């Protein structure tokens, strides 16, 4: 076996190994992309878990916001109910304290003049006769002095009981008020006077301000017809307006309290909690904008996504760098060595250590294959050399042989003849090569033909009559050797004249 010592073998090192190249060169390299894809696949469970936790967090926040907002709406509804009940008690006490006897509206009874309105929760207190004419009011009445057009007054007079209404036209005083009426009856059960008081609705706006509602939150109080009585913030834009066909108004007609997500009168989508006010035919709703309600959850989600993105970037960068040094470089060396081997350089070796890992095993297999190919090539060269020498000796023997040696193809045409054939038959070699085999025989009737002898597989020797170029016949012993060339039969004939 002929092979170079290991220390003299040509170990092939690709340019990527011999020079320091940027890690990120070749962004579209297949192995790198697949490594990054594996990193991304590894991050997908974390992303899914994060999204699940964010969804659960949002649900929990929604539950907390709805619960807290509903609790606040109940508190405000209870506050209004207490105010209504307080007004009932207050007016009942006024009606039993004394009876007004004078009809002059500027001459208030003593029990009214002694009231300190500034110290009370009411912004106006007064009494009117059964026809709605104001007898006395503290502070002074702002309108024409008659109440018969006000629904709460007509309700108190007709039902002979406590009534609640609203003065958004600022007739009693120069404020939008909630009005309460309590009638007194004569001995016949007819209304003879109606005591009333007015509560400034602005107090709820001040209360909402003190409650420090979140930015964008809205507090709205509406009556049964959907008319806005209180609105925080910006009451001047909404108080007095009626929206009976809004989704919230329709829900309020069916439920006493609840929570829902809906667009408000200003078009902002909010989480709403609403409660009914007993005795006042009112509804209170508090809405928190979704952006505010979910601000904490969205902020946490954004922080987690940023953290995951940073972790992903670090992981992908590390995978890119590690993949280059641990996978791509070795793969490039193997690929370059394979290309060199394919180009015919059988001395190519990977130059990689034969470790127990996959690349080490692959390098060992490649190097062993290259050594085997090199050894086989050396053997082949030796065999080729020996064959060439043998063929040379055979050609020399054929050329020097005194016998005629003929090469015949499957069509029984001469393809080769040696100098002995030229001397025996008398034709020049160039004329014999390509000649039909039958020309070497004279037509002798029933004498055996040389071509027929070649067709007989078991026949390898024959004595036959042949003819020279000058027409002289002679007897010859012919030895036949059969073979194949290119899948077709071929024959080698050795023609010898018998000794006389």
């Amino acid at each position: 076996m002929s092979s170079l010592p290991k220390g003299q073998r040509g170990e092939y090192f690709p340019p990527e190994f011999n020079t320091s190249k940027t890690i990120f060169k070749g962004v579209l390299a297949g192995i790198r992309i697949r490594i990054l894809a594996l990193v991304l696949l590894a991050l997908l469970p974390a992303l899914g878990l994060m999204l699940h936790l964010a969804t659960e967090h949002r649900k929990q926040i929604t539950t907390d916001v709805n619960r807290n907002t509903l609790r606040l709406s109940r508190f405000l509804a209870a506050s209004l109910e207490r105010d209504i009940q307080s007004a009932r008690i207050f007016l009942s006490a006024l009606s039993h304290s004394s009876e007004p006897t004078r009809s002059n509206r500027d001459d208030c009874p003593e029990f009214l003049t002694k009231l300190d309105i500034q110290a009370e929760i009411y912004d106006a207190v007064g009494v009117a006769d059964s026809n709605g004419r104001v007898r006395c009011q503290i502070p002074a009445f702002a309108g024409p002095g008659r109440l018969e057009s006000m629904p709460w007054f007509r309700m108190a007079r007709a039902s002979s009981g406590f009534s609640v209404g609203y003065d958004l036209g600022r007739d009693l005083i120069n404020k939008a008020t909630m009005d309460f009426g309590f009638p007194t009856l004569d001995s016949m059960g007819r209304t003879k006077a109606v005591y009333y008081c007015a509560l400034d609705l602005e107090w709820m706006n001040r209360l909402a301000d003190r409650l420090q509602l979140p930015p964008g939150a809205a507090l709205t109080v509406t009556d049964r017809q959907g008319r806005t009585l209180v609105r925080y913030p910006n009451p001047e834009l909404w108080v007095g307006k009626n929206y009976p066909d809004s989704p919230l108004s329709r829900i309020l007609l069916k439920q006493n309290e609840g929570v829902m997500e809906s667009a408000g009168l200003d078009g902002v989508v909010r989480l709403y909690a609403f409660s009914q006010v007993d005795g006042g035919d009112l509804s209170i709703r508090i809405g928190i904008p979704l952006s505010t309600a979910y601000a904490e959850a969205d902020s946490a989600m954004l922080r987690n996504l940023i953290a995951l993105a940073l972790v992903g970037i670090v992981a992908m960068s590390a995978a890119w760098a590690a993949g280059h040094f641990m996978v791509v470089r070795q793969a490039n060396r193997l690929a370059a060595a394979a290309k060199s081997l394919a180009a015919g350089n059988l001395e190519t070796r990977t130059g990689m250590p034969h470790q127990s890992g996959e690349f080490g095993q692959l390098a060992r297999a490649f190097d062993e294959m290259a050594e085997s190919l090199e050894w086989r090539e050396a053997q082949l060269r030796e065999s080729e050399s020996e064959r060439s020498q043998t063929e040379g000796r055979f050609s020399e023997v054929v050329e020097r042989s005194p016998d005629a040696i003929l090469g015949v193809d499957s069509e029984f045409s001469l393809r080769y003849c040696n100098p002995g054939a030229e001397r025996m038959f008398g034709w020049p070699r160039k004329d014999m090569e390509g000649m039909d085999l039958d020309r070497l025989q004279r037509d002798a009737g029933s004498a055996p033909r040389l071509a027929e002898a070649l067709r007989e597989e078991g026949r390898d020797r024959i004595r036959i009559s042949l003819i020279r170029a000058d027409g002289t016949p002679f007897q010859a012993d012919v030895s036949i050797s059969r073979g194949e060339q290119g899948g077709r039969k071929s024959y080698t004939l050795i023609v010898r004249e018998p000794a006389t």
Side-chain angles (χ1 to χ4, degrees):
M1 183 180 75
S2 175
S3 62
L4 292 175
K6 186 175 181 180
Q8 298 179 7
R9 290 174 182 160
E11 295 184 341
Y12 181 83
F13 296 92
E16 290 81 359
F17 179 75
N18 296 325
T19 59
S20 57
K21 300 182 69 176
T22 306
I23 293 177
F24 295 100
K25 183 177 180 181
V27 176
L28 299 179
I31 294 180
R32 289 189 180 96
I33 293 299
R34 292 175 183 179
I35 292 174
L36 296 184
L38 289 176
V39 174
L40 290 177
L41 287 175
L43 292 176
L44 284 180
L47 178 61
L49 178 61
M50 185 179 299
L51 294 176
H52 173 72
L53 293 178
T55 301
E56 294 299 319
H57 190 196
R58 180 176 283 249
K59 290 180 180 178
Q60 183 61 43
I61 286 180
T62 301
T63 301
D64 294 341
V65 170
N66 288 339
R67 183 173 57 248
N68 295 333
T69 308
L70 183 59
R71 185 184 298 119
L72 182 57
S73 69
R74 288 172 178 170
F75 167 74
L76 294 176
S79 299
L80 271 179
E81 291 171 6
R82 287 194 299 271
D83 291 339
I84 293 172
Q85 293 302 321
S86 298
R88 180 195 295 270
I89 295 172
F90 174 72
L91 293 178
S92 177
L94 280 183
S95 66
H96 289 85
S97 61
S98 60
E99 291 290 336
T101 57
R102 301 178 184 178
S103 60
N104 188 351
R105 60 182 294 182
D106 296 327
D107 189 6
C108 288
E110 182 179 358
F111 76 95
L112 284 179
T113 58
K114 291 182 179 180
L115 288 176
D116 185 3
I117 297 299
Q118 299 298 325
E120 302 293 338
I121 64 172
Y122 305 108
D123 292 84
V125 179
V127 60
D129 60 20
S130 60
N131 294 321
R133 186 173 62 252
V134 176
R135 293 184 179 179
C136 177
Q137 177 176 303
I138 299 175
F141 193 76
R146 303 191 66 86
L147 305 177
E148 66 270 14
S149 62
M150 296 185 178
W152 62 267
F153 177 82
R154 295 198 302 269
M155 185 184 302
R157 184 174 59 184
S159 63
S160 301
F162 181 73
S163 66
V164 180
Y166 314 98
D167 177 21
L168 302 182
R170 304 174 182 266
D171 292 329
L172 292 179
I173 54 177
N174 192 26
K175 294 179 181 179
T177 58
M178 177 185 292
D179 303 329
F180 309 96
F182 192 91
T184 58
L185 309 178
D186 58 15
S187 59
M188 301 297 294
R190 293 173 299 187
T191 300
K192 62 179 180 179
V194 176
Y195 288 86
Y196 63 89
C197 60
L199 177 64
D200 184 8
L201 292 174
E202 182 64 22
W203 75 271
M204 292 201 71
N205 290 329
R206 294 192 294 269
L207 176 60
D209 190 39
R210 289 196 298 271
L211 291 175
Q212 296 182 349
L213 296 177
L219 167 65
T220 307
V221 180
T222 58
D223 61 13
R224 193 67 177 175
Q225 289 72 38
R227 183 175 53 173
T228 303
L229 306 177
V230 176
R231 167 72 182 197
Y232 173 86
N234 305 319
E236 66 280 358
L237 300 178
W238 306 102
V239 171
K241 295 183 179 180
N242 196 350
Y243 299 93
D245 296 329
S246 66
L248 279 174
S249 297
R250 291 194 295 268
I251 292 295
L252 292 175
L253 293 175
K254 301 176 182 179
Q255 296 179 224
N256 289 331
E257 69 174 17
V259 292
M260 66 176 296
E261 182 179 313
S262 176
L265 300 179
D266 53 1
V268 178
V269 179
R270 296 181 175 91
L271 289 174
Y272 280 97
F274 56 89
S275 298
Q276 299 285 353
V277 179
D278 293 337
D281 211 17
L282 301 176
S283 296
I284 295 179
R285 59 177 178 264
I286 300 175
I288 308 297
L290 294 183
S291 58
T292 301
Y294 296 141
E296 179 183 351
D298 293 341
S299 178
M301 179 65 175
L302 180 60
R303 290 195 302 270
N304 291 336
L305 287 177
I306 292 176
L308 181 62
L310 293 177
V311 170
I313 291 173
V314 172
M316 292 175 69
S317 300
W320 187 279
H324 176 79
F325 287 106
M326 300 174 63
V327 179
V328 177
R329 192 166 62 167
Q330 286 80 350
N332 287 341
R333 292 179 65 176
L334 287 171
K339 291 180 180 178
S340 177
L341 185 64
N345 185 6
L346 298 181
E347 296 182 355
T348 297
R349 300 294 183 271
T350 62
M352 297 168 58
H354 297 169
Q355 299 174 346
S356 59
E358 286 78 2
F359 279 111
Q361 295 177 7
L362 187 58
R364 178 194 298 274
F366 184 92
D367 290 343
E368 290 177 353
M369 178 189 68
E371 288 181 0
S372 177
L373 290 175
E374 186 181 15
W375 180 83
R376 289 176 182 272
E377 178 68 17
Q379 293 295 319
L380 184 61
R381 286 197 299 267
E382 291 180 359
S383 299
E384 183 68 23
S385 177
E386 293 175 357
R387 186 181 66 83
S388 298
Q389 293 176 7
T390 301
E391 288 180 351
R393 289 194 296 270
F394 177 76
S395 298
E396 184 179 357
V397 170
V398 169
E399 291 293 321
R400 292 183 180 183
S401 175
D403 299 330
I405 300 177
L406 305 176
V408 182
D409 62 14
S410 61
E411 302 296 330
F412 305 112
S413 296
L414 297 177
R415 293 303 179 208
Y416 170 78
C417 61
N418 67 341
E422 188 178 27
R423 289 190 299 270
M424 182 179 292
F425 289 98
W427 274 292
R429 292 177 66 178
K430 62 182 181 62
D431 293 338
M432 292 185 69
E433 292 177 353
M435 180 186 297
D436 190 74
L437 187 61
D438 287 340
R439 291 187 62 184
L440 299 181
Q441 286 185 276
R442 176 180 292 173
D443 187 4
S446 60
R449 308 297 294 174
L450 185 56
E452 294 175 357
L454 296 181
R455 291 190 182 98
E456 297 179 15
E457 293 293 334
R459 196 167 185 179
D460 56 4
R461 185 179 292 276
I462 185 176
R463 173 166 286 193
I464 196 168
S465 177
L466 301 177
I467 190 173
R468 305 184 197 278
D470 59 3
T472 304
F474 67 97
Q475 292 293 316
D477 291 330
V478 180
S479 298
I480 303 171
S481 176
R482 295 173 177 84
E484 286 189 6
Q485 287 186 352
R488 307 184 70 178
K489 292 182 178 181
S490 62
Y491 308 92
T492 302
L493 309 179
I494 301 176
V495 182
R496 180 178 296 131
E497 292 184 83
T500 55

